[in-house]
Amino acid sequence: MDIKAYIASGILEQYAFDLLSPTERSEVEANIQKHPELVEELRQIEYAIEKYLSLYQDTPSPDFQQRLNDSLESVVPDPLPTPPTTPPTGGGANGWLTGLAIIALAAAAWLFFDNQQKDRNYQELATEYQNLQLDCDETTETNRGLLNQLQTIRQSGNSLIQMRGTDKDTTAFASIIYNAETKKSYLDIVNLATPDADKQYQLWAIVGGIPVDMGVFDVTVDTNSTLQEVPFIENVQAFAVTLEPRGGSEVPTLEEMVVIGTTG
């Protein structure tokens, strides 16, 4: 069996949504027992469904949970038209043939539109599942980043230097995580206003009263939620951030200093 092709066919998703016939379900279960890879894939699918329900249990999408539980049982077609018990009053054999033809056409139309409706419902479920799987992938990636960030913050030997806002912006705030043992430094942006397009923030270390350039950075969604590694500099007395022309300056513009914090 080509496992990749089997997974790509979407049959495991149909199994998870209970969209298969008893025979098809038995075949899938037999394949799952033979191939451990399918067990892991099915777990991922079921996890994605459970994750979706746990994330959105307060405001689930319309009828989604019911549709998961009932599969497509909610789409119950109307009964087939019942043929007349007595022959038509006119037309003799031709009338009967005409009536049967109409019934056959009606049954064919009913089957066609019923299948179309089921296909639409399945496609809606499959699309919604794919969307929630993407959401879960993004959530997993975010959680992985937060875990890495937490491990970095809790590392032995860390010192936290808080840089508070100056008169230019008293609400501004950022921190430096400084580790003399590992020779690592990280910038944590807590609250810095987004500057004009021609401006850029620049980080400085004060060593022996002399400012040392530690590079420029932008305020983005990522930098507001994760740590940025910055150059490690020995014997720092203070850290500061100034607002400079894009690309940075050789020396800090003191009147554009936004935050500052000492190591002592």
Side-chain angles (χ1 to χ4, degrees):
M1 173 188 287
D2 187 341
I3 299 297
K4 291 184 178 179
Y6 190 81
I7 292 174
S9 69
I11 194 166
L12 293 179
E13 286 86 347
Q14 296 179 56
Y15 178 87
F17 282 114
D18 196 20
L19 299 177
L20 300 179
S21 67
T23 301
E24 291 171 326
R25 288 186 62 84
S26 298
E27 291 176 356
V28 171
E29 290 166 356
N31 288 328
I32 290 173
Q33 292 180 352
K34 294 178 184 177
H35 303 284
E37 305 96 314
L38 299 181
V39 176
E40 181 60 28
E41 183 66 19
L42 185 59
R43 285 175 180 168
Q44 292 293 329
I45 293 170
E46 292 172 344
Y47 170 78
I49 295 171
E50 292 170 1
K51 187 68 175 176
Y52 178 85
L53 294 178
S54 66
L55 286 174
Y56 301 101
Q57 59 184 352
D58 292 332
T59 55
S61 58
D63 298 328
F64 182 72
Q65 187 168 353
Q66 183 64 37
R67 288 159 65 196
L68 280 178
N69 293 334
D70 298 342
S71 299
L72 294 175
E73 291 179 4
S74 60
V75 187
V76 178
D78 295 327
L80 281 168
T82 303
T85 56
T86 58
T89 56
N94 289 335
W96 265 103
L97 291 175
T98 302
L100 290 174
I102 292 173
I103 292 173
L105 287 174
W110 172 83
L111 290 173
F112 173 78
F113 288 110
D114 178 58
N115 287 331
Q116 290 287 98
Q117 182 63 37
K118 286 185 176 180
D119 286 343
R120 281 194 295 270
N121 278 269
Y122 170 73
Q123 291 300 327
E124 290 174 3
L125 284 171
T127 299
E128 192 158 0
Y129 166 75
Q130 291 172 354
N131 290 335
L132 71 89
Q133 191 170 41
L134 288 174
D135 291 340
C136 288
D137 290 343
E138 292 175 0
T139 301
T140 300
E141 188 64 28
T142 298
N143 289 341
R144 185 179 292 112
L146 291 174
L147 177 61
N148 292 337
Q149 179 175 328
L150 178 62
Q151 291 172 338
T152 299
I153 293 173
R154 297 181 61 188
Q155 192 166 14
S156 175
N158 279 348
S159 296
L160 180 66
I161 296 92
Q162 296 181 340
M163 297 183 289
R164 300 186 181 278
T166 64
D167 291 339
K168 182 174 178 61
D169 185 358
T170 57
T171 65
F173 189 83
S175 299
I176 293 289
I177 297 173
Y178 186 84
N179 195 313
E181 297 176 7
T182 61
K183 308 297 183 185
K184 295 283 188 179
S185 296
Y186 298 90
L187 170 65
D188 183 16
I189 300 171
V190 180
N191 183 36
L192 289 179
T194 302
D196 294 335
D198 60 343
K199 296 287 186 179
Q200 204 168 19
Y201 288 111
Q202 190 166 358
L203 179 63
W204 304 89
I206 312 302
V207 181
I210 299 174
V212 179
D213 176 24
M214 295 183 67
V216 295
F217 61 90
D218 293 309
V219 177
T220 65
V221 173
D222 289 338
T223 56
N224 273 308
S225 59
T226 60
L227 302 176
Q228 299 181 70
E229 187 170 359
V230 294
F232 178 82
I233 298 176
E234 298 274 8
N235 304 318
V236 178
Q237 298 165 322
F239 292 96
V241 173
T242 60
L243 189 59
E244 305 291 345
R246 177 160 289 277
S249 302
E250 293 183 3
V251 294
T253 307
L254 297 181
E255 56 269 24
E256 293 294 332
M257 184 180 296
V258 181
V259 292
I260 187 170
T262 62
T263 58

